[in-house]
Amino acid sequence: MRPALHHLGDRSLGPLLIAPVVLVLGTVIAYPLFAAIALSAFAVDTPTLRSRFVGLGNYAELLGADGRFWPALGVTLVWTAATLALQIVIGVAMALLLNRDLWLRSLARSLVLFPYFVSTVVAVLVWRWLFNDMFGLANQLLMKIGVIAAPLDWLGTMPSALLSVIVVGAWKFFPFVVIAVLARLQTIPESLYDAARLDGAGAWSRFRDVTLPQIGEVLGIVVLLRAIWDFKEFDLVYLLTGGGPVDATRTLPLIVYQEAFGLNRMGMAAAYAVAMMITMLGFFLLYRLAVRGRT
Amino acid sequence: MAGIELRALHKRFGTTDVVRGIDLTVPSGAFLTLLGPSGCGKSTLLRMLAGLEAPSAGQILFDGSVVNDIPPGRRDIAMVFQSYALYPHMTVAQNIAYPLRKRGVPRGERDAAVARAAEVLQLTALLDRRPRELSGGQQQRVALGRALVREPRIFLLDEPLSNLDATLRSHMRRELVALHRRIGRTMVYVTHDQLEAMTMSTHVAVIDGGRLQQFGTPAEVYRRPANRMVASFIGTPGMAFADGMVATGRLLLAGRPLALIGAPDGPVTVGIRAEDVEIADTGVAACVTDMEAVGHETLLTLSGEFGTVTARAPADCRLAPGATVHWQVRPAQLHLFNPETGDRRNAALSPITSSNETTAP
Ligand SMILES: Nc1ncnc2c1ncn2[C@@H]1O[C@H](COP(=O)(O)OP(=O)(O)O)[C@@H](O)[C@H]1O
Ligand SMILES: [Mg+2]
């Protein structure tokens, strides 16, 4: 065995050793990616899989006559930005709270994870009941305290439908932020806060000058990951509003689904998916530039 | 007017009493060292002075006024932490300037103050570095700079030298003393290192188990330790103790008369410092059980019926372990303690000479 390997020499041994990794990554990442890109160049009928090469035709339609891309991109961006901002604010606030010496802290820490663990289907069912226009708790409460006079069709009208999706998204995913930030908070030495107090820093100054710089790095990663995941989020939006009323909450992933399985146009679905990927890539590069510019 | 006064200061965490009633007064401009073994409550005491912990009972007074309810930022104090606690994302200059910035000192004044502090602490070349790019000694100086820059009336230092190597530590010890002399502010210095306490302070408070064991100048604490704890904690090598007996005006060690004593009969603990033990031709017989060469001298461990004492011998001492020697100690240099309470006992001691041997009862 050993002489055989030796005989190969470093030049051929190297590629041999990384071959498994390349193979795995190639199968699970590169192949689907290129398959999707290739698919987007065809007009495919999903049930029969009969296909016709159309080149960039799908993209031309997507950006032109189709008319759904730009509005859906707008909705997707609003949804992503708003729900992400809420997740970060709530998540960081909650992490700060849980990092203090709170009564029943460990219980609170587990409870906070609850939304993240509940399956989206179950969570959405519960929220749909809360938002129900006839029997929903949201309407009951808001009417009781006099914010609204008559029951509201939360998920059936705008802007409350988009607002509801954003809020439910924030509720569902803020625990991720809590976990990541809390883990980092626990590593900040207490003496830094003591020093800041002696230096005359108030609560806000201590947060800005001690806490924020320390959690900055982890927040950067959390924002990146959550932005990608929220941008691609399908089931929560689909189950909560189905993209409605009409197309007011229709995000790009919903169109991909609709094209692939509703309209049986696999090629067009692939074109939408690739367009999404390019958009994300664009934002990712902007983000990298912004982060690098700050440090 | 008193610099710092503590009145029946108490601190309890849950059900544990960590500081148990400390009364203390040091004048303005003093260098007070809180000395005691690890876990005795020194840091807790210091943190109460800083306002980072609230006393469970008792009062803290600065310059005659109670500061219990004044938050740390407004006590006009600065603290140097054992871990330095430098802000990691700020440069040295920003770290030093931070307390001034938080007090709204204008930019120009701030920069001038930082430059002055950096000059004093030889940090000028490092002002643009971040803490992680500094050595331990440099970080320590930055922490000092951050304390120095706002000219507080009291400096609090919690084991600031414990993370430095021996050479740097003795260097910084002298630097701190010089700094104290130059600025003349009250300093409270926490350490478990008796050498630091002895060399730096004007006042030493020895603490054990949350109680003040003795308060005095370094010389007083060394020469007249108030109890066994203080006696054993201060001085290297530590004081040796032996069970003695007072009988008919004589202090006996293992049945052998050591000195004349003006004390009632009964058991007594005898404390003997290594530097007071003299190897001689006559005296208490002992066996050399251990020898430790420490460079400029050799420490001998001497054992006998009386117990064990340490003696200092010249570096070129020709004894070998197992040898039998005799040792003597001048009676005036013996320390006596109550064997039950450990408290110091004062009694007149004098040598047994042939002249008073005959006059003794
Ligand atoms: N915040 C706290 N909660 C509970 N116990 C504490 C706290 N701070 C200190 N202690 C306890 O008080 C004792 C004295 O601590 P400390 O003042 O840090 O001692 P030292 O500085 O003399 O080593 C220790 O036993 C420590 O465990
Ligand atoms: Mg301590």
Side-chain angles (χ1 to χ4, degrees):
Chain A
M1 190 69 212
R2 189 154 172 255
L5 273 180
H6 195 83
H7 175 76
L8 273 175
D10 284 354
R11 230 164 238 268
S12 28
L13 185 60
L16 200 67
L17 288 176
I18 61 163
V21 179
V22 172
L23 209 67
V24 170
L25 288 183
T27 322
V28 304
I29 294 179
Y31 171 71
L33 183 65
F34 285 110
I37 293 172
L39 198 59
S40 72
F42 290 85
V44 185
D45 179 49
T46 312
T48 60
L49 285 182
R50 262 216 315 262
S51 62
R52 178 169 54 85
F53 182 76
V54 293
L56 292 176
N58 283 331
Y59 294 97
E61 189 188 336
L62 181 153
L63 293 172
D66 180 274
R68 288 172 304 168
F69 178 76
W70 295 110
L73 178 62
V75 172
T76 310
L77 289 180
V78 169
W79 138 261
T80 303
T83 199
L84 180 62
L86 272 180
Q87 286 166 27
I88 296 290
V89 171
I90 299 172
V92 169
M94 196 59 104
L96 289 172
L97 204 66
L98 291 180
N99 193 40
R100 315 251 306 240
D101 273 322
L102 218 70
W103 188 64
L104 287 181
R105 174 160 63 170
S106 54
L107 180 69
R109 277 185 189 170
S110 333
L111 276 182
V112 117
L113 295 181
F114 176 74
Y116 204 63
F117 288 147
V118 177
S119 107
T120 307
V121 180
V122 176
V124 166
L125 273 178
V126 173
W127 279 96
R128 284 183 68 120
W129 271 108
L130 288 175
F131 284 139
N132 188 289
D133 50 345
M134 314 274 275
F135 322 103
L137 203 61
N139 277 331
Q140 298 264 330
L141 281 177
L142 289 177
M143 271 160 66
K144 192 164 276 174
I145 60 172
V147 175
I148 52 174
L152 231 99
D153 184 5
W154 286 97
L155 300 171
T157 54
M158 279 297 279
S160 62
L162 187 55
L163 206 67
S164 305
V165 175
I166 288 167
V167 167
V168 175
W171 170 84
K172 182 87 180 72
F173 299 119
F174 86 92
F176 179 81
V177 183
V178 176
I179 308 254
V181 173
L182 188 57
R184 184 65 183 85
L185 281 179
Q186 283 164 345
T187 67
I188 304 178
E190 199 56 38
S191 60
L192 284 183
Y193 292 102
D194 289 342
R197 279 168 75 189
L198 282 162
D199 286 343
W204 169 246
S205 282
R206 291 200 295 275
F207 175 73
R208 204 193 50 199
D209 298 334
V210 178
T211 312
L212 211 50
Q214 298 261 337
I215 62 173
E217 211 162 292
V218 84
L219 268 185
I221 294 166
V222 166
V223 164
L224 184 65
L225 287 177
R226 282 273 21 126
I228 293 171
W229 293 339
D230 290 338
F231 193 86
K232 298 192 308 180
E233 181 62 28
F234 170 74
D235 42 5
L236 190 132
V237 185
Y238 182 75
L239 293 167
L240 206 54
T241 65
V246 194
D247 55 3
T249 61
R250 187 169 64 195
T251 56
L252 288 169
L254 264 62
I255 299 185
V256 176
Y257 173 80
Q258 193 182 23
E259 283 293 330
F261 305 106
L263 303 173
N264 287 334
R265 301 202 299 178
M266 201 55 104
M268 194 61 182
Y272 263 100
V274 172
M276 271 178 67
M277 196 188 68
I278 292 168
T279 313
M280 274 196 275
L281 210 61
F283 278 104
F284 172 69
L285 292 176
L286 276 179
Y287 179 81
R288 282 283 297 272
L289 275 178
V291 168
R292 199 169 296 168
R294 267 194 312 127
T295 51
Chain B
M1 194 177 274
I4 301 176
E5 186 178 346
L6 308 182
R7 291 183 186 157
L9 200 61
H10 231 96
K11 181 67 189 182
R12 141 191 295 260
F13 288 113
T15 55
T16 346
D17 290 297
V18 173
V19 173
R20 310 161 181 241
I22 289 194
D23 292 277
L24 197 71
T25 306
V26 285
S28 179
F31 193 120
L32 167 68
T33 297
L34 305 176
L35 176 66
S38 217
C40 72
K42 307 178 297 286
S43 293
T44 305
L45 186 53
L46 198 73
R47 291 171 61 81
M48 285 196 280
L49 288 176
L52 295 171
E53 302 282 358
S56 308
Q59 288 179 316
I60 301 169
L61 293 86
F62 290 167
D63 285 327
S65 50
V66 178
V67 296
N68 283 38
D69 296 326
I70 299 181
R74 285 201 262 120
R75 286 195 182 187
D76 199 9
I77 47 170
M79 185 158 166
V80 176
F81 295 82
Q82 184 172 3
S83 58
Y84 313 138
L86 300 178
Y87 308 118
H89 61 288
M90 296 187 197
T91 63
V92 168
Q94 287 167 337
N95 263 285
I96 297 177
Y98 190 72
L100 298 181
R101 216 175 85 206
K102 287 297 125 184
R103 283 171 174 75
V105 176
R107 177 94 202 221
E109 248 175 82
R110 218 156 66 199
D111 291 347
V114 170
R116 264 198 316 276
E119 181 83 45
V120 170
L121 296 162
Q122 293 154 34
L123 288 168
T124 311
L126 307 175
L127 282 176
D128 291 327
R129 300 239 194 124
R130 280 173 210 280
R132 66 165 174 278
E133 298 160 348
L134 301 177
S135 71
Q138 289 167 337
Q139 291 187 28
Q140 219 271 314
R141 294 214 299 276
V142 177
L144 267 175
R146 191 174 59 183
L148 207 62
V149 74
R150 56 184 216 244
E151 303 178 358
R153 57 178 168 171
I154 298 173
F155 283 89
L156 306 175
L157 303 104
D158 193 352
E159 312 218 10
L161 307 185
S162 60
N163 291 340
L164 304 181
D165 62 56
T167 322
L168 199 52
R169 197 151 61 216
S170 81
H171 173 74
M172 284 309 295
R173 229 164 39 212
R174 285 193 298 275
E175 292 278 300
L176 277 176
V177 171
L179 184 70
H180 175 246
R181 209 168 284 144
R182 190 160 61 235
I183 60 178
R185 303 290 162 108
T186 311
M187 290 196 175
V188 183
Y189 185 96
V190 162
T191 183
H192 63 262
D193 182 339
Q194 54 94 23
L195 183 66
E196 286 178 9
M198 290 294 117
T199 52
M200 300 169 75
S201 352
T202 60
H203 298 71
V204 180
V206 185
I207 298 168
D208 192 32
R211 289 205 174 83
L212 184 62
Q213 304 293 324
Q214 187 169 6
F215 176 64
T217 65
E220 281 165 6
V221 172
Y222 186 82
R223 296 215 185 100
R224 297 178 57 79
N227 56 42
R228 255 189 91 152
M229 182 268 147
V230 177
S232 61
F233 198 72
I234 287 174
T236 36
M239 186 184 279
F241 298 99
D243 295 326
M245 184 64 77
V246 177
T248 59
R250 284 156 196 249
L251 174 61
L252 308 175
L253 206 58
R256 193 182 187 288
L258 205 63
L260 297 178
I261 186 169
D265 290 1
V268 66
T269 301
V270 181
I272 305 166
R273 286 206 191 277
E275 57 266 43
D276 298 331
V277 175
E278 269 176 74
I279 307 293
D281 296 333
T282 60
V284 186
C287 175
V288 178
T289 52
D290 194 20
M291 296 180 65
E292 193 183 6
V294 292
H296 63 290
E297 63 181 6
T298 300
L299 298 176
L300 305 177
T301 304
L302 307 177
S303 303
E305 291 171 74
F306 52 86
T308 301
V309 298
T310 311
R312 306 169 83 156
D316 57 0
C317 162
R318 293 201 178 276
L319 291 167
T324 301
V325 295
H326 294 269
W327 58 268
Q328 295 181 344
V329 57
R330 282 194 283 145
Q333 282 162 339
L334 293 172
H335 302 265
L336 301 180
F337 302 97
N338 181 324
E340 263 131 50
T341 63
D343 288 339
R344 183 181 187 85
R345 276 178 61 177
N346 290 315
L349 288 155
S350 54
I352 303 170
T353 61
S354 42
S355 60
N356 61 23
E357 182 78 331
T358 49
T359 55

